[in-house]
Amino acid sequence: MKKLLLFAFLCIAGTAQFGCSNDDKDQPDPKPEPVRLDRDTVSSWLARNSFFITDAWRFAGKDSVDMYKVDTLLPLYAKAAILNFYIQKGSGEIMFHGGASQIPNTDIPGNALTFNLNIRIFLPTQMVLKWDEEKGTLGVETRATTSYFPMIVPGKKGYLDPASFNVKMSMEQAKTAVVKPSMRFIYEDDDPKLGKVTYKITMKPMYQYYREPGQQASAKYFVYP
């Protein structure tokens, strides 16, 4: 009788243990906390720094399109209009250098692109910056179309993807980093043919590596594409 009771107890215990194990497996994995950025940290790393747009992609459903291949003028604009962030405490606007020309890379290791940039004149892109407290990131909105950026449509809103913010590197750190510094802006739109679409635009910081003594108008910069 004792052996029978012991056997029954072990069966019940085993069943309970098995049941608990299944319950654990049925529990969904907890969702990771969304990445939130610090307003002042983002502002300090972007303020008066130059950025090169390396790529732009459009996503519609399961399809993705390289916009640089759809519109071959876009990469030409990217090389001619180097962006510069006028920002303080999460508020400001995006400007661009009043002159930019790519030059042969004879100084920077790796696949860096090198440019001569006008550092005296900056022109407006008509894109304004405003901190989005709800998302915990930097928002951007297009204000108007200009002759410099005819592809910009007024009233479009986007934001800096918090998980992509990886620009906190010095020039020397960028040279040796395996993963080069970059950040990505996202905006969603309604396309009359495609429906809901998402655009993702990658920007990479540029670093000033040479400026002639006393030179106030131009300097040499590099970026890792």
Side-chain angles (χ1 to χ4, degrees), residues 49-52 78-84 97-103 114-122 206-208 210 215-222:
N49 283 326
S50 304
F51 285 82
F52 179 71
K79 291 182 178 180
I82 304 300
L83 304 181
N84 193 279
H97 288 263
S101 57
Q102 188 173 359
I103 57 178
T114 48
F115 292 80
N116 192 61
L117 300 184
N118 184 315
I119 56 173
R120 174 178 288 176
I121 300 173
F122 294 87
M206 304 186 72
Y207 298 91
Q208 184 180 134
Y210 181 72
Q215 175 60 261
Q216 300 295 319
S218 64
K220 293 181 180 181
Y221 285 72
F222 75 86

PDB file of all heavy atoms in Angstrom, residues 49-52 78-84 97-103 114-122 206-208 210 215-222:
ATOM      1  N   ASN A  49      27.430  70.044 -36.807  1.00  0.00           N
ATOM      2  CA  ASN A  49      28.185  68.965 -37.437  1.00  0.00           C
ATOM      3  C   ASN A  49      27.595  68.647 -38.808  1.00  0.00           C
ATOM      4  O   ASN A  49      26.400  68.835 -39.046  1.00  0.00           O
ATOM      5  CB  ASN A  49      28.192  67.711 -36.567  1.00  0.00           C
ATOM      6  CG  ASN A  49      29.159  67.832 -35.413  1.00  0.00           C
ATOM      7  OD1 ASN A  49      30.217  68.457 -35.516  1.00  0.00           O
ATOM      8  ND2 ASN A  49      28.808  67.250 -34.281  1.00  0.00           N
ATOM      9  N   SER A  50      28.449  68.165 -39.705  1.00  0.00           N
ATOM     10  CA  SER A  50      28.057  67.914 -41.089  1.00  0.00           C
ATOM     11  C   SER A  50      27.765  66.436 -41.310  1.00  0.00           C
ATOM     12  O   SER A  50      28.440  65.570 -40.737  1.00  0.00           O
ATOM     13  CB  SER A  50      29.174  68.379 -42.035  1.00  0.00           C
ATOM     14  OG  SER A  50      29.464  69.743 -41.808  1.00  0.00           O
ATOM     15  N   PHE A  51      26.766  66.162 -42.167  1.00  0.00           N
ATOM     16  CA  PHE A  51      26.347  64.785 -42.430  1.00  0.00           C
ATOM     17  C   PHE A  51      26.123  64.560 -43.919  1.00  0.00           C
ATOM     18  O   PHE A  51      25.624  65.434 -44.629  1.00  0.00           O
ATOM     19  CB  PHE A  51      25.062  64.464 -41.661  1.00  0.00           C
ATOM     20  CG  PHE A  51      25.281  64.247 -40.192  1.00  0.00           C
ATOM     21  CD1 PHE A  51      25.380  65.335 -39.334  1.00  0.00           C
ATOM     22  CD2 PHE A  51      25.421  62.972 -39.672  1.00  0.00           C
ATOM     23  CE1 PHE A  51      25.609  65.153 -37.976  1.00  0.00           C
ATOM     24  CE2 PHE A  51      25.653  62.783 -38.322  1.00  0.00           C
ATOM     25  CZ  PHE A  51      25.741  63.869 -37.470  1.00  0.00           C
ATOM     26  N   PHE A  52      26.501  63.370 -44.349  1.00  0.00           N
ATOM     27  CA  PHE A  52      26.389  62.953 -45.748  1.00  0.00           C
ATOM     28  C   PHE A  52      25.310  61.875 -45.840  1.00  0.00           C
ATOM     29  O   PHE A  52      25.320  60.902 -45.075  1.00  0.00           O
ATOM     30  CB  PHE A  52      27.738  62.400 -46.217  1.00  0.00           C
ATOM     31  CG  PHE A  52      27.750  61.901 -47.634  1.00  0.00           C
ATOM     32  CD1 PHE A  52      27.677  62.788 -48.695  1.00  0.00           C
ATOM     33  CD2 PHE A  52      27.859  60.552 -47.908  1.00  0.00           C
ATOM     34  CE1 PHE A  52      27.705  62.322 -50.006  1.00  0.00           C
ATOM     35  CE2 PHE A  52      27.891  60.076 -49.206  1.00  0.00           C
ATOM     36  CZ  PHE A  52      27.811  60.973 -50.263  1.00  0.00           C
ATOM     37  N   ALA A  78      23.124  64.365 -53.028  1.00  0.00           N
ATOM     38  CA  ALA A  78      23.765  64.016 -51.752  1.00  0.00           C
ATOM     39  C   ALA A  78      25.207  64.511 -51.703  1.00  0.00           C
ATOM     40  O   ALA A  78      25.688  64.958 -50.650  1.00  0.00           O
ATOM     41  CB  ALA A  78      23.713  62.507 -51.539  1.00  0.00           C
ATOM     42  N   LYS A  79      25.899  64.446 -52.823  1.00  0.00           N
ATOM     43  CA  LYS A  79      27.289  64.890 -52.857  1.00  0.00           C
ATOM     44  C   LYS A  79      27.415  66.405 -52.971  1.00  0.00           C
ATOM     45  O   LYS A  79      28.443  66.978 -52.583  1.00  0.00           O
ATOM     46  CB  LYS A  79      28.022  64.224 -54.026  1.00  0.00           C
ATOM     47  CG  LYS A  79      28.236  62.729 -53.828  1.00  0.00           C
ATOM     48  CD  LYS A  79      29.000  62.118 -54.986  1.00  0.00           C
ATOM     49  CE  LYS A  79      29.250  60.628 -54.749  1.00  0.00           C
ATOM     50  NZ  LYS A  79      29.997  60.011 -55.868  1.00  0.00           N
ATOM     51  N   ALA A  80      26.376  67.048 -53.486  1.00  0.00           N
ATOM     52  CA  ALA A  80      26.431  68.497 -53.669  1.00  0.00           C
ATOM     53  C   ALA A  80      25.892  69.263 -52.471  1.00  0.00           C
ATOM     54  O   ALA A  80      26.254  70.422 -52.258  1.00  0.00           O
ATOM     55  CB  ALA A  80      25.652  68.890 -54.924  1.00  0.00           C
ATOM     56  N   ALA A  81      25.000  68.627 -51.710  1.00  0.00           N
ATOM     57  CA  ALA A  81      24.354  69.312 -50.579  1.00  0.00           C
ATOM     58  C   ALA A  81      24.648  68.553 -49.288  1.00  0.00           C
ATOM     59  O   ALA A  81      23.904  67.649 -48.898  1.00  0.00           O
ATOM     60  CB  ALA A  81      22.850  69.413 -50.804  1.00  0.00           C
ATOM     61  N   ILE A  82      25.747  68.909 -48.648  1.00  0.00           N
ATOM     62  CA  ILE A  82      26.128  68.282 -47.379  1.00  0.00           C
ATOM     63  C   ILE A  82      25.371  68.968 -46.243  1.00  0.00           C
ATOM     64  O   ILE A  82      25.423  70.192 -46.098  1.00  0.00           O
ATOM     65  CB  ILE A  82      27.650  68.402 -47.156  1.00  0.00           C
ATOM     66  CG1 ILE A  82      28.408  67.802 -48.343  1.00  0.00           C
ATOM     67  CG2 ILE A  82      28.036  67.714 -45.843  1.00  0.00           C
ATOM     68  CD1 ILE A  82      28.134  66.350 -48.610  1.00  0.00           C
ATOM     69  N   LEU A  83      24.667  68.174 -45.448  1.00  0.00           N
ATOM     70  CA  LEU A  83      23.793  68.732 -44.421  1.00  0.00           C
ATOM     71  C   LEU A  83      24.572  69.170 -43.182  1.00  0.00           C
ATOM     72  O   LEU A  83      25.634  68.621 -42.875  1.00  0.00           O
ATOM     73  CB  LEU A  83      22.735  67.699 -44.023  1.00  0.00           C
ATOM     74  CG  LEU A  83      21.872  67.154 -45.165  1.00  0.00           C
ATOM     75  CD1 LEU A  83      20.848  66.169 -44.622  1.00  0.00           C
ATOM     76  CD2 LEU A  83      21.183  68.286 -45.917  1.00  0.00           C
ATOM     77  N   ASN A  84      24.013  70.156 -42.491  1.00  0.00           N
ATOM     78  CA  ASN A  84      24.605  70.645 -41.254  1.00  0.00           C
ATOM     79  C   ASN A  84      23.471  70.983 -40.288  1.00  0.00           C
ATOM     80  O   ASN A  84      22.517  71.671 -40.670  1.00  0.00           O
ATOM     81  CB  ASN A  84      25.464  71.882 -41.532  1.00  0.00           C
ATOM     82  CG  ASN A  84      26.352  72.256 -40.371  1.00  0.00           C
ATOM     83  OD1 ASN A  84      25.913  72.897 -39.428  1.00  0.00           O
ATOM     84  ND2 ASN A  84      27.617  71.847 -40.435  1.00  0.00           N
ATOM     85  N   HIS A  97      25.789  73.046 -46.540  1.00  0.00           N
ATOM     86  CA  HIS A  97      26.960  73.841 -46.899  1.00  0.00           C
ATOM     87  C   HIS A  97      26.727  74.535 -48.243  1.00  0.00           C
ATOM     88  O   HIS A  97      26.218  73.926 -49.191  1.00  0.00           O
ATOM     89  CB  HIS A  97      28.199  72.953 -46.994  1.00  0.00           C
ATOM     90  CG  HIS A  97      28.692  72.472 -45.662  1.00  0.00           C
ATOM     91  ND1 HIS A  97      29.717  73.088 -44.985  1.00  0.00           N
ATOM     92  CD2 HIS A  97      28.297  71.427 -44.883  1.00  0.00           C
ATOM     93  CE1 HIS A  97      29.942  72.452 -43.845  1.00  0.00           C
ATOM     94  NE2 HIS A  97      29.095  71.442 -43.759  1.00  0.00           N
ATOM     95  N   GLY A  98      27.151  75.812 -48.319  1.00  0.00           N
ATOM     96  CA  GLY A  98      26.949  76.591 -49.535  1.00  0.00           C
ATOM     97  C   GLY A  98      27.823  76.174 -50.694  1.00  0.00           C
ATOM     98  O   GLY A  98      27.763  76.782 -51.768  1.00  0.00           O
ATOM     99  N   GLY A  99      28.602  75.170 -50.533  1.00  0.00           N
ATOM    100  CA  GLY A  99      29.423  74.642 -51.613  1.00  0.00           C
ATOM    101  C   GLY A  99      30.071  73.342 -51.179  1.00  0.00           C
ATOM    102  O   GLY A  99      30.533  73.227 -50.039  1.00  0.00           O
ATOM    103  N   ALA A 100      30.085  72.340 -52.064  1.00  0.00           N
ATOM    104  CA  ALA A 100      30.689  71.042 -51.753  1.00  0.00           C
ATOM    105  C   ALA A 100      31.174  70.398 -53.039  1.00  0.00           C
ATOM    106  O   ALA A 100      30.445  70.368 -54.042  1.00  0.00           O
ATOM    107  CB  ALA A 100      29.681  70.131 -51.062  1.00  0.00           C
ATOM    108  N   SER A 101      32.386  69.902 -53.019  1.00  0.00           N
ATOM    109  CA  SER A 101      32.921  69.200 -54.188  1.00  0.00           C
ATOM    110  C   SER A 101      33.765  68.020 -53.712  1.00  0.00           C
ATOM    111  O   SER A 101      34.588  68.154 -52.801  1.00  0.00           O
ATOM    112  CB  SER A 101      33.766  70.146 -55.045  1.00  0.00           C
ATOM    113  OG  SER A 101      34.816  70.713 -54.279  1.00  0.00           O
ATOM    114  N   GLN A 102      33.525  66.879 -54.321  1.00  0.00           N
ATOM    115  CA  GLN A 102      34.300  65.688 -53.960  1.00  0.00           C
ATOM    116  C   GLN A 102      35.707  65.800 -54.540  1.00  0.00           C
ATOM    117  O   GLN A 102      35.898  66.266 -55.668  1.00  0.00           O
ATOM    118  CB  GLN A 102      33.615  64.426 -54.482  1.00  0.00           C
ATOM    119  CG  GLN A 102      34.267  63.145 -53.985  1.00  0.00           C
ATOM    120  CD  GLN A 102      33.473  61.900 -54.383  1.00  0.00           C
ATOM    121  OE1 GLN A 102      32.435  61.987 -55.016  1.00  0.00           O
ATOM    122  NE2 GLN A 102      33.976  60.739 -53.995  1.00  0.00           N
ATOM    123  N   ILE A 103      36.690  65.381 -53.752  1.00  0.00           N
ATOM    124  CA  ILE A 103      38.085  65.435 -54.173  1.00  0.00           C
ATOM    125  C   ILE A 103      38.713  64.056 -53.987  1.00  0.00           C
ATOM    126  O   ILE A 103      38.201  63.231 -53.219  1.00  0.00           O
ATOM    127  CB  ILE A 103      38.870  66.491 -53.362  1.00  0.00           C
ATOM    128  CG1 ILE A 103      38.779  66.192 -51.862  1.00  0.00           C
ATOM    129  CG2 ILE A 103      38.364  67.884 -53.679  1.00  0.00           C
ATOM    130  CD1 ILE A 103      39.570  67.148 -50.981  1.00  0.00           C
ATOM    131  N   THR A 114      36.233  61.912 -49.700  1.00  0.00           N
ATOM    132  CA  THR A 114      36.755  63.190 -49.217  1.00  0.00           C
ATOM    133  C   THR A 114      36.155  64.341 -50.030  1.00  0.00           C
ATOM    134  O   THR A 114      35.920  64.219 -51.241  1.00  0.00           O
ATOM    135  CB  THR A 114      38.292  63.230 -49.297  1.00  0.00           C
ATOM    136  OG1 THR A 114      38.709  62.778 -50.594  1.00  0.00           O
ATOM    137  CG2 THR A 114      38.894  62.319 -48.246  1.00  0.00           C
ATOM    138  N   PHE A 115      35.915  65.445 -49.329  1.00  0.00           N
ATOM    139  CA  PHE A 115      35.240  66.596 -49.931  1.00  0.00           C
ATOM    140  C   PHE A 115      35.927  67.891 -49.500  1.00  0.00           C
ATOM    141  O   PHE A 115      36.518  67.962 -48.419  1.00  0.00           O
ATOM    142  CB  PHE A 115      33.786  66.676 -49.479  1.00  0.00           C
ATOM    143  CG  PHE A 115      32.911  65.568 -50.003  1.00  0.00           C
ATOM    144  CD1 PHE A 115      32.914  64.315 -49.402  1.00  0.00           C
ATOM    145  CD2 PHE A 115      32.075  65.784 -51.099  1.00  0.00           C
ATOM    146  CE1 PHE A 115      32.109  63.304 -49.878  1.00  0.00           C
ATOM    147  CE2 PHE A 115      31.266  64.774 -51.581  1.00  0.00           C
ATOM    148  CZ  PHE A 115      31.277  63.525 -50.970  1.00  0.00           C
ATOM    149  N   ASN A 116      35.791  68.894 -50.346  1.00  0.00           N
ATOM    150  CA  ASN A 116      36.133  70.259 -49.971  1.00  0.00           C
ATOM    151  C   ASN A 116      34.807  70.986 -49.745  1.00  0.00           C
ATOM    152  O   ASN A 116      33.968  71.071 -50.653  1.00  0.00           O
ATOM    153  CB  ASN A 116      36.936  70.941 -51.073  1.00  0.00           C
ATOM    154  CG  ASN A 116      37.550  72.235 -50.603  1.00  0.00           C
ATOM    155  OD1 ASN A 116      38.355  72.256 -49.675  1.00  0.00           O
ATOM    156  ND2 ASN A 116      37.166  73.330 -51.241  1.00  0.00           N
ATOM    157  N   LEU A 117      34.592  71.503 -48.515  1.00  0.00           N
ATOM    158  CA  LEU A 117      33.320  72.112 -48.157  1.00  0.00           C
ATOM    159  C   LEU A 117      33.471  73.589 -47.860  1.00  0.00           C
ATOM    160  O   LEU A 117      34.462  74.018 -47.259  1.00  0.00           O
ATOM    161  CB  LEU A 117      32.722  71.434 -46.918  1.00  0.00           C
ATOM    162  CG  LEU A 117      32.425  69.934 -47.004  1.00  0.00           C
ATOM    163  CD1 LEU A 117      31.751  69.472 -45.709  1.00  0.00           C
ATOM    164  CD2 LEU A 117      31.571  69.607 -48.210  1.00  0.00           C
ATOM    165  N   ASN A 118      32.470  74.344 -48.279  1.00  0.00           N
ATOM    166  CA  ASN A 118      32.376  75.754 -47.900  1.00  0.00           C
ATOM    167  C   ASN A 118      31.937  75.799 -46.442  1.00  0.00           C
ATOM    168  O   ASN A 118      30.887  75.260 -46.092  1.00  0.00           O
ATOM    169  CB  ASN A 118      31.345  76.457 -48.793  1.00  0.00           C
ATOM    170  CG  ASN A 118      31.251  77.948 -48.522  1.00  0.00           C
ATOM    171  OD1 ASN A 118      31.214  78.394 -47.376  1.00  0.00           O
ATOM    172  ND2 ASN A 118      31.192  78.729 -49.585  1.00  0.00           N
ATOM    173  N   ILE A 119      32.714  76.423 -45.583  1.00  0.00           N
ATOM    174  CA  ILE A 119      32.389  76.462 -44.161  1.00  0.00           C
ATOM    175  C   ILE A 119      31.960  77.865 -43.705  1.00  0.00           C
ATOM    176  O   ILE A 119      31.798  78.108 -42.514  1.00  0.00           O
ATOM    177  CB  ILE A 119      33.576  75.987 -43.298  1.00  0.00           C
ATOM    178  CG1 ILE A 119      34.826  76.827 -43.591  1.00  0.00           C
ATOM    179  CG2 ILE A 119      33.839  74.504 -43.529  1.00  0.00           C
ATOM    180  CD1 ILE A 119      35.997  76.524 -42.667  1.00  0.00           C
ATOM    181  N   ARG A 120      31.766  78.734 -44.665  1.00  0.00           N
ATOM    182  CA  ARG A 120      31.344  80.098 -44.325  1.00  0.00           C
ATOM    183  C   ARG A 120      29.853  80.319 -44.608  1.00  0.00           C
ATOM    184  O   ARG A 120      29.166  80.987 -43.836  1.00  0.00           O
ATOM    185  CB  ARG A 120      32.170  81.116 -45.110  1.00  0.00           C
ATOM    186  CG  ARG A 120      31.704  82.560 -44.920  1.00  0.00           C
ATOM    187  CD  ARG A 120      32.587  83.532 -45.675  1.00  0.00           C
ATOM    188  NE  ARG A 120      33.893  83.665 -45.031  1.00  0.00           N
ATOM    189  CZ  ARG A 120      34.890  84.393 -45.524  1.00  0.00           C
ATOM    190  NH1 ARG A 120      34.736  85.018 -46.687  1.00  0.00           N
ATOM    191  NH2 ARG A 120      36.033  84.487 -44.887  1.00  0.00           N
ATOM    192  N   ILE A 121      29.358  79.766 -45.721  1.00  0.00           N
ATOM    193  CA  ILE A 121      27.970  79.992 -46.132  1.00  0.00           C
ATOM    194  C   ILE A 121      27.156  78.715 -45.933  1.00  0.00           C
ATOM    195  O   ILE A 121      27.534  77.636 -46.403  1.00  0.00           O
ATOM    196  CB  ILE A 121      27.904  80.427 -47.603  1.00  0.00           C
ATOM    197  CG1 ILE A 121      28.693  81.721 -47.807  1.00  0.00           C
ATOM    198  CG2 ILE A 121      26.459  80.589 -48.058  1.00  0.00           C
ATOM    199  CD1 ILE A 121      28.823  82.138 -49.254  1.00  0.00           C
ATOM    200  N   PHE A 122      26.029  78.862 -45.238  1.00  0.00           N
ATOM    201  CA  PHE A 122      25.104  77.753 -45.043  1.00  0.00           C
ATOM    202  C   PHE A 122      23.714  78.199 -45.490  1.00  0.00           C
ATOM    203  O   PHE A 122      23.276  79.321 -45.188  1.00  0.00           O
ATOM    204  CB  PHE A 122      25.071  77.315 -43.576  1.00  0.00           C
ATOM    205  CG  PHE A 122      26.361  76.718 -43.109  1.00  0.00           C
ATOM    206  CD1 PHE A 122      27.381  77.525 -42.612  1.00  0.00           C
ATOM    207  CD2 PHE A 122      26.575  75.349 -43.175  1.00  0.00           C
ATOM    208  CE1 PHE A 122      28.579  76.981 -42.178  1.00  0.00           C
ATOM    209  CE2 PHE A 122      27.777  74.800 -42.759  1.00  0.00           C
ATOM    210  CZ  PHE A 122      28.782  75.613 -42.254  1.00  0.00           C
ATOM    211  N   MET A 206      30.515  63.629 -41.032  1.00  0.00           N
ATOM    212  CA  MET A 206      31.732  63.988 -41.743  1.00  0.00           C
ATOM    213  C   MET A 206      32.698  64.641 -40.760  1.00  0.00           C
ATOM    214  O   MET A 206      32.276  65.307 -39.809  1.00  0.00           O
ATOM    215  CB  MET A 206      31.408  64.931 -42.898  1.00  0.00           C
ATOM    216  CG  MET A 206      30.390  64.356 -43.869  1.00  0.00           C
ATOM    217  SD  MET A 206      30.135  65.392 -45.328  1.00  0.00           S
ATOM    218  CE  MET A 206      31.675  65.122 -46.220  1.00  0.00           C
ATOM    219  N   TYR A 207      33.979  64.426 -41.009  1.00  0.00           N
ATOM    220  CA  TYR A 207      35.006  64.924 -40.085  1.00  0.00           C
ATOM    221  C   TYR A 207      35.970  65.834 -40.842  1.00  0.00           C
ATOM    222  O   TYR A 207      36.451  65.486 -41.924  1.00  0.00           O
ATOM    223  CB  TYR A 207      35.779  63.765 -39.471  1.00  0.00           C
ATOM    224  CG  TYR A 207      34.920  62.843 -38.645  1.00  0.00           C
ATOM    225  CD1 TYR A 207      34.311  61.726 -39.223  1.00  0.00           C
ATOM    226  CD2 TYR A 207      34.686  63.091 -37.292  1.00  0.00           C
ATOM    227  CE1 TYR A 207      33.517  60.875 -38.469  1.00  0.00           C
ATOM    228  CE2 TYR A 207      33.895  62.249 -36.528  1.00  0.00           C
ATOM    229  CZ  TYR A 207      33.310  61.148 -37.123  1.00  0.00           C
ATOM    230  OH  TYR A 207      32.515  60.308 -36.379  1.00  0.00           O
ATOM    231  N   GLN A 208      36.255  66.990 -40.253  1.00  0.00           N
ATOM    232  CA  GLN A 208      37.217  67.910 -40.848  1.00  0.00           C
ATOM    233  C   GLN A 208      38.626  67.401 -40.558  1.00  0.00           C
ATOM    234  O   GLN A 208      38.999  67.239 -39.403  1.00  0.00           O
ATOM    235  CB  GLN A 208      37.033  69.318 -40.281  1.00  0.00           C
ATOM    236  CG  GLN A 208      37.938  70.348 -40.922  1.00  0.00           C
ATOM    237  CD  GLN A 208      37.750  71.742 -40.338  1.00  0.00           C
ATOM    238  OE1 GLN A 208      38.729  72.430 -40.025  1.00  0.00           O
ATOM    239  NE2 GLN A 208      36.502  72.165 -40.157  1.00  0.00           N
ATOM    240  N   TYR A 210      41.503  68.623 -42.590  1.00  0.00           N
ATOM    241  CA  TYR A 210      42.545  69.592 -42.959  1.00  0.00           C
ATOM    242  C   TYR A 210      41.914  70.950 -43.275  1.00  0.00           C
ATOM    243  O   TYR A 210      40.881  71.043 -43.946  1.00  0.00           O
ATOM    244  CB  TYR A 210      43.348  69.143 -44.176  1.00  0.00           C
ATOM    245  CG  TYR A 210      44.440  70.131 -44.536  1.00  0.00           C
ATOM    246  CD1 TYR A 210      45.568  70.254 -43.744  1.00  0.00           C
ATOM    247  CD2 TYR A 210      44.299  70.968 -45.648  1.00  0.00           C
ATOM    248  CE1 TYR A 210      46.555  71.188 -44.047  1.00  0.00           C
ATOM    249  CE2 TYR A 210      45.288  71.897 -45.950  1.00  0.00           C
ATOM    250  CZ  TYR A 210      46.414  72.006 -45.143  1.00  0.00           C
ATOM    251  OH  TYR A 210      47.379  72.940 -45.431  1.00  0.00           O
ATOM    252  N   GLN A 215      42.581  79.968 -43.089  1.00  0.00           N
ATOM    253  CA  GLN A 215      41.501  79.773 -44.054  1.00  0.00           C
ATOM    254  C   GLN A 215      40.146  79.830 -43.355  1.00  0.00           C
ATOM    255  O   GLN A 215      39.892  79.092 -42.420  1.00  0.00           O
ATOM    256  CB  GLN A 215      41.661  78.424 -44.768  1.00  0.00           C
ATOM    257  CG  GLN A 215      40.536  78.047 -45.708  1.00  0.00           C
ATOM    258  CD  GLN A 215      40.334  79.025 -46.838  1.00  0.00           C
ATOM    259  OE1 GLN A 215      39.453  79.883 -46.785  1.00  0.00           O
ATOM    260  NE2 GLN A 215      41.181  78.902 -47.862  1.00  0.00           N
ATOM    261  N   GLN A 216      39.271  80.731 -43.821  1.00  0.00           N
ATOM    262  CA  GLN A 216      37.955  80.912 -43.206  1.00  0.00           C
ATOM    263  C   GLN A 216      36.812  80.464 -44.115  1.00  0.00           C
ATOM    264  O   GLN A 216      35.662  80.439 -43.682  1.00  0.00           O
ATOM    265  CB  GLN A 216      37.743  82.391 -42.856  1.00  0.00           C
ATOM    266  CG  GLN A 216      38.764  82.944 -41.875  1.00  0.00           C
ATOM    267  CD  GLN A 216      38.687  82.293 -40.515  1.00  0.00           C
ATOM    268  OE1 GLN A 216      37.599  82.045 -40.009  1.00  0.00           O
ATOM    269  NE2 GLN A 216      39.831  82.002 -39.919  1.00  0.00           N
ATOM    270  N   ALA A 217      37.106  80.098 -45.353  1.00  0.00           N
ATOM    271  CA  ALA A 217      36.032  79.824 -46.310  1.00  0.00           C
ATOM    272  C   ALA A 217      35.834  78.345 -46.611  1.00  0.00           C
ATOM    273  O   ALA A 217      34.722  77.926 -46.943  1.00  0.00           O
ATOM    274  CB  ALA A 217      36.293  80.570 -47.612  1.00  0.00           C
ATOM    275  N   SER A 218      36.874  77.534 -46.490  1.00  0.00           N
ATOM    276  CA  SER A 218      36.723  76.132 -46.876  1.00  0.00           C
ATOM    277  C   SER A 218      37.642  75.230 -46.052  1.00  0.00           C
ATOM    278  O   SER A 218      38.612  75.696 -45.455  1.00  0.00           O
ATOM    279  CB  SER A 218      37.024  75.943 -48.367  1.00  0.00           C
ATOM    280  OG  SER A 218      38.385  76.249 -48.642  1.00  0.00           O
ATOM    281  N   ALA A 219      37.292  73.952 -46.044  1.00  0.00           N
ATOM    282  CA  ALA A 219      38.083  72.958 -45.329  1.00  0.00           C
ATOM    283  C   ALA A 219      37.816  71.602 -45.959  1.00  0.00           C
ATOM    284  O   ALA A 219      36.827  71.410 -46.668  1.00  0.00           O
ATOM    285  CB  ALA A 219      37.744  72.951 -43.848  1.00  0.00           C
ATOM    286  N   LYS A 220      38.705  70.652 -45.665  1.00  0.00           N
ATOM    287  CA  LYS A 220      38.561  69.295 -46.207  1.00  0.00           C
ATOM    288  C   LYS A 220      37.916  68.372 -45.162  1.00  0.00           C
ATOM    289  O   LYS A 220      38.317  68.399 -44.000  1.00  0.00           O
ATOM    290  CB  LYS A 220      39.925  68.755 -46.648  1.00  0.00           C
ATOM    291  CG  LYS A 220      40.520  69.495 -47.832  1.00  0.00           C
ATOM    292  CD  LYS A 220      41.857  68.895 -48.241  1.00  0.00           C
ATOM    293  CE  LYS A 220      42.440  69.644 -49.434  1.00  0.00           C
ATOM    294  NZ  LYS A 220      43.748  69.058 -49.856  1.00  0.00           N
ATOM    295  N   TYR A 221      36.980  67.580 -45.625  1.00  0.00           N
ATOM    296  CA  TYR A 221      36.242  66.649 -44.754  1.00  0.00           C
ATOM    297  C   TYR A 221      36.285  65.246 -45.368  1.00  0.00           C
ATOM    298  O   TYR A 221      36.448  65.089 -46.586  1.00  0.00           O
ATOM    299  CB  TYR A 221      34.776  67.070 -44.634  1.00  0.00           C
ATOM    300  CG  TYR A 221      34.516  68.266 -43.754  1.00  0.00           C
ATOM    301  CD1 TYR A 221      34.880  69.544 -44.149  1.00  0.00           C
ATOM    302  CD2 TYR A 221      33.875  68.110 -42.525  1.00  0.00           C
ATOM    303  CE1 TYR A 221      34.623  70.649 -43.348  1.00  0.00           C
ATOM    304  CE2 TYR A 221      33.612  69.210 -41.710  1.00  0.00           C
ATOM    305  CZ  TYR A 221      33.993  70.465 -42.127  1.00  0.00           C
ATOM    306  OH  TYR A 221      33.725  71.541 -41.339  1.00  0.00           O
ATOM    307  N   PHE A 222      36.083  64.251 -44.500  1.00  0.00           N
ATOM    308  CA  PHE A 222      35.932  62.885 -44.997  1.00  0.00           C
ATOM    309  C   PHE A 222      34.722  62.229 -44.351  1.00  0.00           C
ATOM    310  O   PHE A 222      34.251  62.636 -43.276  1.00  0.00           O
ATOM    311  CB  PHE A 222      37.192  62.045 -44.763  1.00  0.00           C
ATOM    312  CG  PHE A 222      37.398  61.593 -43.343  1.00  0.00           C
ATOM    313  CD1 PHE A 222      36.803  60.418 -42.859  1.00  0.00           C
ATOM    314  CD2 PHE A 222      38.194  62.319 -42.473  1.00  0.00           C
ATOM    315  CE1 PHE A 222      36.995  60.007 -41.559  1.00  0.00           C
ATOM    316  CE2 PHE A 222      38.385  61.919 -41.156  1.00  0.00           C
ATOM    317  CZ  PHE A 222      37.794  60.754 -40.696  1.00  0.00           C
TER     318      PHE A 222
END
